[in-house]
């Protein structure tokens, strides 16, 4: 159902942007949960490119509102280059994070590819958090709370220019789903920049079906749909293995419906799976539930109706 059936897995084993160590083990946990086999069972041609490499995590406090900025830049640069190369070769990149700061490298590569090919870009940001902080607004200095702002041009020069154009994206191209934890200053900034947010209150009231119908409403045959799946989007009862759990997320069924409706569009062109933290997981449960959901994203359907 998805347009591109040739997929490249790119592991980016770092927790450089997070406030909790362990997301660096995410890529391997997804492999152990048999991601490749699961994708192949849905007719996807999969190549695992292995892991990128970058600087170690020095685990230092923030400086001028950013923690580990130079290391964050280095990891995002290699991520950008690897993802851009896959897209150029006509393959669908799946980035196995790693923390969500890597969305800067990943989405800026996708945006560059869309400029090259004249495609319209849409970004679905599945997350408990808006990730729209800046060095002034952040309560933590952790760059995994800033990628959407950086992509929209609000952030340090070295990070915002990675994709070759500033800003890399417009806030109008983003749909955030599952949001339930936004810092006070960040919230004001989200409203100011007019991000389209389908928060948990909206999903509670309107349901996942209506939410996704709206989030996917204006796609067309020329759209490249990028899905940035932060595993903390899910309710912690089904996904405990993340660094920044927030109660009250989508249930297993709601999350599957979300993924199935994305799959049904046929427009997904790239994907991030981020923030999976095996150090906090229980017997790789969160990796397994993520792989289940990725299967739905690639067209697995248990629907009995024809
Ligand atoms: N991708 C994530 N897990 N982001 C969590 C961000 C948490 C908090 N808003 C911060 O900026 O520190
Ligand atoms: Mn996130």
């Amino acid at each position: 159902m998805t347009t591109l059936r040739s997929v490249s897995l790119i592991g980016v084993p770092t927790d450089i942007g997070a406030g909790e160590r362990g997301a660096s083990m995410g890529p391997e946990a997804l492999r152990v949960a048999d991601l490749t086999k699961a994708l192949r069972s849905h007719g996807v041609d999969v190549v695992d490119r292995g892991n990128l490499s970058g600087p170690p995590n020095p685990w230092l406090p923030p400086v001028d509102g950013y923690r580990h900025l130079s290391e964050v830049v280095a990891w995002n640069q290699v991520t950008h280059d690897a993802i851009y190369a896959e897209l150029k070769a006509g393959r669908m990149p799946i980035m196995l994070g790693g923390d969500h700061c890597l969305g800067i490298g990943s989405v800026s590569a996708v945006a560059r590819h869309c400029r090259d090919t004249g495609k319209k870009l849409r970004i679905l940001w599945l997350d408990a958090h808006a990730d729209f902080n800046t060095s002034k607004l952040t309560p933590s200095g952790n760059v995994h709370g800033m990628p959407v702002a950086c992509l929209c041009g609000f952030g340090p020069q070295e990070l915002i220019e990675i994709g070759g154009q500033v800003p890399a994206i417009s806030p109008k191209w983003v749909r955030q789903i599952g949001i339930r934890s936004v810092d006070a200053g960040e919230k004001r900034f989200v409203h100011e920049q007019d991000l389209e947010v389908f928060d948990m209150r909206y999903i509670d009231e309107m349901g996942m079906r209506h939410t996704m119908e709206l989030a996917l409403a204006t796609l067309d045959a020329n759209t490249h749909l990028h899905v940035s799946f932060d595993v903390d989007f899910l309710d912690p009862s089904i996904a405990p293995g993340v660094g920044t759990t927030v109660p009250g997320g989508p249930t297993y069924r709601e999350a599957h419906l979300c993924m199935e409706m994305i799959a049904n569009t046929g427009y997904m062109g790239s994907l991030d799976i981020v923030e999976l933290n095996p150090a906090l997981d229980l017997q790789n449960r969160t990796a397994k539930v993520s792989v289940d959901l990725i299967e739905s994203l690639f067209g697995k359907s248990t629907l009995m109706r024809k």
Side-chain angles (χ1 to χ4, degrees):
M1 237 177 288
T2 14
T3 348
L4 285 172
R5 301 304 290 187
S6 295
V7 157
S8 298
L9 305 182
I10 303 165
V12 195
T14 182
D15 48 18
I16 201 68
E20 191 83 51
R21 298 292 315 266
S24 47
M25 299 187 282
E28 207 51 24
L30 290 165
R31 292 185 178 106
V32 171
D34 259 336
L35 176 60
T36 298
K37 193 169 144 201
L39 288 169
R40 284 189 181 142
S41 74
H42 298 289
V44 182
D45 147 55
V46 186
V47 175
D48 187 342
R49 302 279 192 220
N51 287 345
L52 302 179
S53 47
N57 191 330
W59 204 238
L60 295 168
V63 178
D64 298 330
Y66 301 110
R67 210 163 170 197
H68 312 140
L69 183 57
S70 63
E71 291 86 357
V72 166
V73 172
W75 276 103
N76 274 287
Q77 188 66 61
V78 292
T79 300
H80 166 277
D81 296 353
I83 288 176
Y84 185 60
E86 294 298 338
L87 290 163
K88 219 170 181 167
R91 304 184 59 87
M92 179 197 292
I94 302 186
M95 179 182 79
L96 315 179
D99 72 76
H100 218 169
C101 83
L102 300 170
I104 300 166
S106 151
V107 176
S108 64
V110 172
R112 173 176 255 171
H113 174 72
C114 288
R115 289 197 302 276
D116 294 351
T117 54
K119 285 243 176 187
K120 168 169 127 184
L121 175 57
R122 261 305 138 71
I123 300 148
L124 294 182
W125 199 268
L126 311 181
D127 208 313
H129 313 87
D131 293 347
F132 207 62
N133 269 313
T134 63
S135 62
K136 299 279 182 307
L137 302 173
T138 174
S140 64
N142 299 325
V143 183
H144 75 164
M146 311 181 189
V148 182
C150 288
L151 288 163
C152 294
F154 306 100
Q157 197 60 30
E158 316 92 278
L159 265 185
I160 66 178
E161 70 189 12
I162 280 179
Q165 185 170 297
V166 183
I169 65 165
S170 159
K172 292 190 180 65
W173 304 348
V174 182
R175 304 288 178 274
Q176 296 198 317
I177 299 157
I179 310 304
R180 56 196 184 274
S181 172
V182 186
D183 304 308
E186 182 185 25
K187 194 173 186 172
R188 267 178 265 123
F189 196 39
V190 163
H191 289 314
E192 205 180 293
Q193 293 298 317
D194 216 14
L195 273 184
E196 197 160 333
V197 180
F198 298 95
D199 62 5
M200 283 314 299
R201 169 75 185 261
Y202 191 90
I203 297 171
D204 289 343
E205 290 190 334
M206 307 305 285
M208 187 58 88
R209 174 185 170 168
H210 179 75
T211 301
M212 293 311 293
E213 278 172 355
L214 289 190
L216 300 168
T218 54
L219 309 187
D220 59 42
N222 192 40
T223 303
H224 179 118
L225 184 62
H226 176 87
V227 178
S228 205
F229 171 39
D230 184 324
V231 178
D232 70 28
F233 165 68
L234 305 171
D235 192 82
S237 60
I238 56 164
V242 296
T244 47
T245 50
V246 189
T251 64
Y252 187 77
R253 286 307 317 160
E254 286 171 325
H256 271 289
L257 179 58
C258 168
M259 300 302 182
E260 287 166 359
M261 289 181 74
I262 297 170
N264 287 344
T265 69
Y267 296 140
M268 186 175 69
S270 45
L271 168 67
D272 311 321
I273 310 169
V274 294
E275 294 288 338
L276 172 65
N277 187 331
L280 302 170
D281 205 2
L282 302 165
Q283 298 187 308
N284 222 27
R285 257 176 70 185
T286 309
K288 287 180 198 151
V289 84
S290 303
V291 170
D292 270 6
L293 288 163
I294 301 312
E295 284 194 57
S296 288
L297 200 45
F298 279 83
K300 179 181 183 178
S301 171
T302 50
L303 195 64
M304 290 302 290
R305 270 182 280 139
K306 290 206 181 129

